Amino acid sequence: NTGHGVLYIPFVGVSRTDLSEMLPNLSDQTIERAITVLSYDSSEAKKGSSLQGDIQFDMQLINSKLDEIQKRNPNKAVLILQAQDAFEGLYGADTISKDLTESVAELKRKGNIRVQIASPNVKLLAELRAFSDSDMRLEMIHGTPVLSTAKPLSVLHGVVRDPEASGKLGLIPIV
């Protein structure tokens, strides 16, 4: 809504068609205008927006889409949402380790923002944490979603649904 572009590289099995369900407060027009999705869906391949499983091809595709977004939104940071589990599963942790380092350096040089979504099983989790300016953790404790940050350090917060705002979440400090 603020004119910033978004590059979304989702988990395997998630595609562009899932966005309106995940983002109920955004219109289809806003999603179409602002969000570029690079999925692992072969039906998207003919549109040039599908990752193929070849690290060289896919990194070139990601970089070219990022350049396109930046040209459409000059002087505005691009938000990149990327599922690390999918990357490691598709290419292998050893294969993407060098590319991860290079992409983080390029990201910081251009002033963009990346949210790296990773499960606790990700092999490059220590590297991701070292590269990150902040490290947010969402986990279930006794059936309650709990959010905290390790970098910078914060207290635990219970994640609750705000009954007065459709689809919005609230945080309650746990003391």
Side-chain angles (χ1 to χ4, degrees), residues 108-142:
K108 290 186 178 197
R109 187 183 68 75
K110 290 184 175 182
N112 293 324
I113 301 162
R114 180 161 71 192
V115 174
Q116 197 82 21
I117 304 164
S119 74
N121 302 326
V122 164
K123 292 182 177 149
L124 296 176
L125 193 55
E127 288 87 342
L128 287 170
R129 287 182 170 149
F131 290 139
S132 298
D133 294 324
S134 55
D135 179 3
M136 190 178 312
R137 299 173 188 193
L138 180 64
E139 57 190 312
M140 294 295 281
I141 299 178
H142 301 294

Side-chain angles (χ1 to χ4, degrees), residues 13-138:
V14 177
S15 68
R16 171 172 276 297
T17 56
D18 300 316
L19 285 179
S20 57
E21 186 177 315
M22 292 187 304
L23 302 167
N25 295 329
L26 293 181
S27 70
D28 288 340
Q29 294 83 7
T30 299
I31 291 171
E32 186 66 34
R33 175 185 46 80
I35 303 174
T36 300
V37 179
L38 290 178
S39 68
Y40 303 93
D41 181 0
S42 60
S43 67
E44 298 283 326
K46 59 185 166 276
K47 299 176 189 172
S49 56
S50 180
L51 299 169
Q52 303 296 309
D54 176 283
I55 188 71
Q56 298 302 324
F57 174 87
D58 291 349
M59 291 306 292
Q60 287 177 340
L61 178 62
I62 290 167
N63 290 330
S64 70
K65 292 293 182 182
L66 189 54
D67 287 344
E68 284 176 28
I69 295 167
Q70 289 177 309
K71 286 177 185 168
R72 285 193 315 253
N73 305 292
N75 304 318
K76 290 196 176 205
V78 176
L79 173 62
I80 303 153
L81 298 167
Q82 183 174 334
Q84 184 67 23
D85 297 71
F87 253 55
E88 284 189 16
L90 197 57
Y91 312 110
D94 294 336
T95 303
I96 63 169
S97 181
K98 180 181 178 226
D99 290 303
L100 177 64
T101 305
E102 290 172 359
S103 73
V104 168
E106 183 71 6
L107 173 91
K108 290 186 178 197
R109 187 183 68 75
K110 290 184 175 182
N112 293 324
I113 301 162
R114 180 161 71 192
V115 174
Q116 197 82 21
I117 304 164
S119 74
N121 302 326
V122 164
K123 292 182 177 149
L124 296 176
L125 193 55
E127 288 87 342
L128 287 170
R129 287 182 170 149
F131 290 139
S132 298
D133 294 324
S134 55
D135 179 3
M136 190 178 312
R137 299 173 188 193
L138 180 64

Side-chain angles (χ1 to χ4, degrees), residues 138 144-147 155-161 169-174:
L138 180 64
T144 302
V146 175
L147 180 75
V155 299
L156 295 175
H157 288 82
V159 180
V160 296
R161 187 170 183 182
L169 300 176
L171 298 175
I172 298 175
I174 299 173

